[in-house]
Amino acid sequence: MPPQGSCTVIVGCQWGDEGKGKIVDVLAEDVDIVARYQGGANAGHTVHVGEDEFILHQIPSGVLHAGKRCLLGNGVVLDIRQFFDEYDALLDRGIDLDGRVGVSRRAQLLLPYHRLLDKAVESAAATKIGTTGRGIGPAYEDKAGRRGLRVADLGNPERLHKRIAAAQERVTRRLEQLGSGATGALDVAMEEALSLGERLLSIATDTGQEITAALKAGKRVLLEGAQGTALDLDHGTYPFVTSSNTTAASAATGTGIGPTSIDAVVGVVKAYTTRVGEGPLPTAFEPEMDEHVRALGGEFGATTGRPRRCGWFDSVLARHAAQVNGLTGIAVTKLDVLDTLSTLEIATAYRMPDGSITEDFPADTWSLSGVEPIYETLPGWEAPTGDVRRLEDLPANARGYLDRIEELSGAPVQWVSVGTKRRQIIPVG
Ligand code: GDP
């Protein structure tokens, strides 16, 4: 038998910002390749290494471990300019990237006109989604509309310029319709982006082939999702979602491997719930508690700096995430943020607007804003957990809280994170 590697997906189980970057950073130590499978520069992973803080938008968090290969799969929308700003910033901070970063030739290009469109569409929309304004939605629309440009197109300048001219004409018309004449510096921005085309082609690869070959050679691979399950285009709180499939099955499509190559799916859940952008948050705290936990957890967006709304742990959503992603395990993050609370609530079910009770996450997003969560109250542990490294050393009430998360979610807790630092992690079992 040839050696067989292993392939693990890391997926967010709430509305994003669960701390996936930290978990990927911890697990990356033992793998050979880390690949992103969807999203774009709207994701923002914050990773602390020693005293240094790194905010990564497009390059996988695995890049902070020397020698690991980091890939961006075909499922991502790649903002070339932003990508190289991030790449060069890592080089400036002394990270050796030689031969370490690869980009799928099939990845879609996110171009400056997508950003213009994103802002114009959002400001004209009757129902605001709360997008990051980074052009992600319009880039995925172009992909589905078969008008998009891919990394491979950069290799044929004649065809590229023809398609870009057509795109710019389309965009100008659309911006006019939206009442936005903001095409100002578009030509300059396009030139800047395309001038980086050769550089991007020099690191282009076939991510599916590369990962499949690595697995056959016995190597270990992590596939890293952006955002979270409740923001998935199909399984999230549509229309308040992102424009790609964030969930685990998309890790195969978004990198070019077969679903049978995936061995494990680790879902990252925060020990409470947060949401940035518009849309319902059933377990939202009352204003005073909201502000308190936001301050304790530093809940401000890594990409936009927007304050995140905070709430109690929602096991209805966690069960939905366990099912949709086929979770084989859970990583619970930010347990330490709850250290000072005297009691904690976990939502076990929802009372729907018509009075019925459900334990399942409703498909009708609009009904979610009228649900009343049914809570179970648990005692807090009121002791610091940041220095704990073994499960048995956690206060009994903290273990009780984790046990309840595990029972209600239906997937075993495999990791508990108790701080921002790499070493602040408790492996379970
Ligand atoms: P991601 O997009 O899912 O990677 O999440 P973000 O990076 O947007 O948000 C996670 C934030 O929480 C970052 O600032 C992390 O440093 C921080 N973080 C991650 N795990 C923990 C933890 O266990 N405890 C605390 N206090 N902070 C954490």
Side-chain angles (χ1 to χ4, degrees):
M1 285 281 282
Q4 200 65 53
S6 72
C7 183
T8 301
V9 178
I10 306 294
V11 65
C13 290
Q14 295 154 327
W15 276 278
D17 309 316
E18 297 92 348
K20 296 175 294 293
K22 150 100 191 239
I23 298 299
V24 170
D25 180 60
V26 167
L27 300 187
E29 192 150 357
D30 295 322
V31 306
D32 303 286
I33 296 179
V34 183
R36 268 280 298 273
Y37 59 82
Q38 47 72 232
N42 52 344
H45 295 316
T46 312
V47 182
H48 293 91
V49 182
E51 293 313 307
D52 291 332
E53 179 181 270
F54 295 85
I55 297 183
L56 299 162
H57 295 286
Q58 296 191 95
I59 300 178
S61 327
V63 77
L64 302 175
H65 286 273
K68 312 292 175 188
R69 177 98 168 128
C70 292
L71 301 175
L72 280 88
N74 53 281
V76 307
V77 286
L78 189 103
D79 183 332
I80 318 181
R81 178 69 205 280
Q82 217 274 332
F83 171 81
F84 278 116
D85 282 352
E86 194 170 322
Y87 189 99
D88 291 338
L90 287 168
L91 286 178
D92 284 347
R93 291 176 74 174
I95 310 281
D96 177 9
L97 297 178
D98 200 21
R100 292 188 49 211
V101 180
V103 170
S104 167
R105 290 191 187 88
R106 294 181 174 87
Q108 290 279 319
L109 297 178
L110 186 152
L111 291 162
Y113 52 76
H114 290 125
R115 281 178 182 246
L116 284 183
L117 270 179
D118 199 359
K119 290 189 182 126
V121 169
E122 179 77 353
S123 70
T127 304
K128 309 261 186 254
I129 305 296
T131 76
T132 54
R134 298 271 170 120
I136 313 298
Y140 276 116
E141 276 181 43
D142 276 358
K143 176 181 182 177
R146 295 158 292 186
R147 305 179 286 268
L149 288 151
R150 310 202 293 179
V151 171
D153 292 318
L154 293 166
N156 185 326
E158 200 182 323
R159 187 180 63 216
L160 180 77
H161 284 108
K162 237 192 210 159
R163 284 172 64 85
I164 284 184
Q168 279 192 229
E169 229 181 274
R170 237 181 359 251
V171 169
T172 309
R173 274 201 308 275
R174 182 92 176 99
L175 287 173
E176 279 167 12
Q177 277 170 2
L178 291 164
S180 162
T183 49
L186 183 59
D187 287 344
V188 178
M190 287 297 290
E191 223 166 274
E192 261 177 27
L194 296 173
S195 69
L196 295 164
E198 279 297 317
R199 196 175 171 201
L200 191 66
L201 281 175
S202 73
I203 56 167
T205 183
D206 185 317
T207 52
Q209 273 179 11
E210 206 181 299
I211 294 172
T212 305
L215 290 172
K216 280 200 178 129
K219 299 203 166 149
R220 282 162 298 183
V221 177
L222 269 190
L223 304 179
E224 169 186 334
Q227 292 92 36
T229 301
L231 292 173
D232 182 279
L233 186 55
D234 286 75
H235 303 290
T237 50
Y238 189 91
F240 305 102
V241 291
T242 195
S243 16
S244 60
N245 286 112
T246 58
T247 41
S250 168
T253 321
T255 53
I257 61 168
T260 48
S261 299
I262 295 171
D263 303 288
V265 180
V266 176
V268 184
V269 295
K270 212 177 270 192
Y272 50 100
T273 310
T274 61
R275 171 162 208 173
V276 74
E278 303 300 321
L281 174 62
T283 60
F285 291 132
E286 294 299 324
E288 201 176 313
M289 185 67 173
D290 187 43
E291 213 164 293
H292 182 52
V293 174
R294 181 161 46 250
L296 287 173
E299 296 296 351
F300 297 89
T303 302
T304 57
R306 287 182 287 183
R308 298 171 183 150
R309 288 176 282 156
C310 303
W312 295 117
F313 186 84
D314 185 347
S315 76
V316 180
L317 174 57
R319 269 193 302 282
H320 176 64
Q323 181 229 297
V324 169
N325 294 296
L327 296 187
T328 54
I330 297 181
V332 180
T333 60
K334 298 191 119 172
L335 188 75
D336 55 297
V337 172
L338 307 179
D339 283 351
T340 52
L341 304 187
S342 55
T343 56
L344 301 155
E345 314 265 355
I346 293 183
T348 55
Y350 296 155
R351 183 168 290 110
M352 300 299 287
D354 67 3
S356 63
I357 290 178
T358 181
E359 292 185 351
D360 302 323
F361 200 67
D364 179 0
T365 299
W366 310 100
S367 74
L368 263 185
S369 25
V371 303
E372 188 193 319
I374 296 174
Y375 289 113
E376 182 176 299
T377 305
L378 284 91
W381 44 96
E382 299 181 88
T385 55
D387 291 330
V388 176
R389 299 290 174 268
R390 299 183 316 166
L391 189 68
E392 56 269 36
D393 296 337
L394 276 176
N397 287 350
R399 273 182 280 134
Y401 186 68
L402 292 170
D403 285 347
R404 213 46 201 128
I405 287 181
E406 176 168 304
E407 280 160 16
L408 290 164
S409 311
V413 173
Q414 291 181 327
W415 303 91
V416 182
S417 173
V418 289
T420 57
K421 303 264 168 16
R422 220 177 236 179
R423 60 174 189 281
Q424 290 180 298
I425 191 87
I426 303 173
V428 180

